[in-house]
């Protein structure tokens, strides 16, 4: 994809930590409203790439643009949110207070378009748990609160680092269905890291497959499946065909 005037653009992005080369000349775009997944072996630099896009780490070389500006500018204006692997809920705050956390900390950010955290909690099935505390919730419920907290900031860009990795397979499937439901109406642009083929196919408009370290993109697969995505889609032969193509790209990237 070329010629994007807004959205996320990476050109020739490389990153080294001393003698360790994590990323090698990565080119990638994410158009407004698009969900792009990064898929690759452990240690290939996926998380490093997310942190560069989020303005938390600087690239050694290359450029990163978010709506024509720097990641640091997007982060300072609360235009981009980062969702880590752990829910990282504050144990002394209730579910509702955790869901409101980013709004409370960034009261002036995106003020005209802030979603209602209570409505989001209702949407993800946690309305009756608004007064509960994190230790009273299951892992999947905690991760739902973390999603609501991220979406409640109203940021048009989210980078998500394997947020469902610690969940069991059934809960993980429920979470990807839920994330798709949250993203569709809000037109959020998402960069999403996963090791799951099924997760990448279900969620993505495109999947970028990275090689082993130093990470470089060995292929980008368009996921030409209908929206909105529904659980029944996972039984479609086209779904399995997309998984197969991605598996072959992963093997190519691993040098197999």
């Amino acid at each position: 994809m070329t010629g994007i005037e807004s959205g996320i653009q990476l050109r020739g992005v490389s990153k080294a930590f001393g003698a360790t080369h994590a990323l090698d000349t990565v080119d990638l775009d994410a158009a407004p409203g698009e969900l792009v997944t990064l898929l690759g072996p452990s240690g290939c630099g996926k998380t490093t790439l997310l942190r560069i896009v989020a303005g938390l780490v600087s690239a050694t070389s290359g450029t990163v643009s978010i709506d024509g500006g720097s990641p640091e500018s997007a982060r300072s204006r609360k235009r981009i949110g980062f969702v880590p692997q752990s829910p990282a809920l504050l144990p002394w705050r209730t579910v509702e207070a955790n869901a409101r956390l980013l709004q409370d900390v960034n009261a002036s950010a995106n003020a005209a378009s802030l979603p209602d955290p209570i409505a989001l909690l209702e949407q993800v099935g946690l309305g009756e748990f608004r007064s509960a505390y994190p230790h009273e919730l299951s892992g999947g419920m905690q991760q739902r609160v973390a999603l609501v907290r991220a979406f409640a900031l109203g940021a048009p860009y989210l980078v998500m680092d394997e947020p469902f990795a610690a969940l069991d397979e059934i809960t993980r499937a429920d979470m990807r269905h839920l994330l798709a439901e949250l993203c569709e109406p809000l037109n959020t642009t998402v960069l999403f890291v996963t090791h799951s083929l099924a997760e990448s196919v279900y969620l993505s408009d495109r999947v970028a497959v990275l090689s082993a370290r130093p990470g470089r993109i060995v292929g980008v697969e368009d996921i030409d499946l209908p929206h909105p995505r529904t659980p029944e889609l996972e039984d479609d032969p086209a779904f399995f065909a997309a998984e197969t193509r991605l598996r072959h790209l992963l093997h190519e990237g691993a040098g197999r």
Side-chain angles (χ1 to χ4, degrees), residues 44-224:
C44 73
K46 300 184 299 296
T47 295
T48 297
L49 189 59
L50 284 194
R51 292 177 68 84
I52 290 172
V53 172
L56 301 173
V57 173
S58 297
T60 302
S61 61
T63 61
V64 181
S65 171
I66 300 177
D67 283 347
S70 70
E72 293 77 14
S73 174
R75 184 163 60 91
S76 69
R77 293 181 292 119
K78 314 304 176 187
R79 298 279 294 168
I80 188 165
F82 187 89
V83 181
Q85 293 184 22
S86 167
L89 303 180
L90 297 180
W92 59 87
R93 292 179 70 111
T94 65
V95 164
E96 181 178 340
N98 267 290
R100 291 186 179 279
L101 178 63
L102 295 182
Q103 287 192 359
D104 292 344
V105 172
N106 305 285
S108 62
N110 309 311
S113 58
L114 289 181
D116 179 5
I118 295 177
L120 288 172
L121 287 172
E122 292 285 353
Q123 184 176 348
V124 304
L126 291 177
E128 63 183 292
F129 294 93
R130 285 167 47 189
S131 299
Y133 288 88
H135 73 273
E136 300 176 293
L137 307 179
S138 68
M141 294 166 76
Q142 290 184 29
Q143 199 58 266
R144 278 186 265 170
V145 178
L147 283 182
V148 168
R149 179 183 59 197
F151 279 94
L153 180 60
Y157 297 94
L158 287 178
V159 292
M160 310 183 73
D161 187 14
E162 294 192 84
F164 312 143
L167 304 177
D168 64 84
E169 186 56 36
I170 293 175
T171 305
R172 187 168 182 160
D174 289 341
M175 290 302 297
R176 63 178 173 256
H177 303 155
L178 180 60
L179 177 58
E181 290 178 2
L182 288 171
C183 285
E184 294 273 357
L186 295 175
N187 202 39
T188 307
T189 305
V190 180
L191 279 184
F192 187 91
V193 164
T194 184
H195 285 102
S196 168
L197 291 170
E199 201 162 82
S200 62
V201 173
Y202 187 87
L203 288 171
S204 306
D205 296 296
R206 290 184 299 132
V207 180
V209 178
L210 278 72
S211 69
R213 191 178 68 239
R216 58 184 178 82
I217 293 179
V218 297
V220 178
E221 180 73 22
D222 291 323
I223 306 300
D224 189 18

Side-chain angles (χ1 to χ4, degrees), residues 10-15 23-26 49 52 59 61-64:
L10 293 85
R11 295 291 179 267
V13 171
S14 298
K15 179 64 179 178
L23 293 167
D24 181 23
T25 56
V26 172
L49 189 59
I52 290 172
S61 61
T63 61
V64 181

Side-chain angles (χ1 to χ4, degrees), residues 169 173 176-177 198 202 230-236 239-240 243:
E169 186 56 36
R176 63 178 173 256
H177 303 155
Y202 187 87
T230 61
E232 294 74 23
L233 185 64
E234 298 191 35
D235 296 322
D236 193 309
F239 190 95
F240 294 112
E243 283 187 300

Side-chain angles (χ1 to χ4, degrees), residues 15-35:
K15 179 64 179 178
F17 297 95
T20 301
H21 293 273
L23 293 167
D24 181 23
T25 56
V26 172
D27 293 335
L28 185 66
D29 294 327
E34 188 175 33
L35 194 152

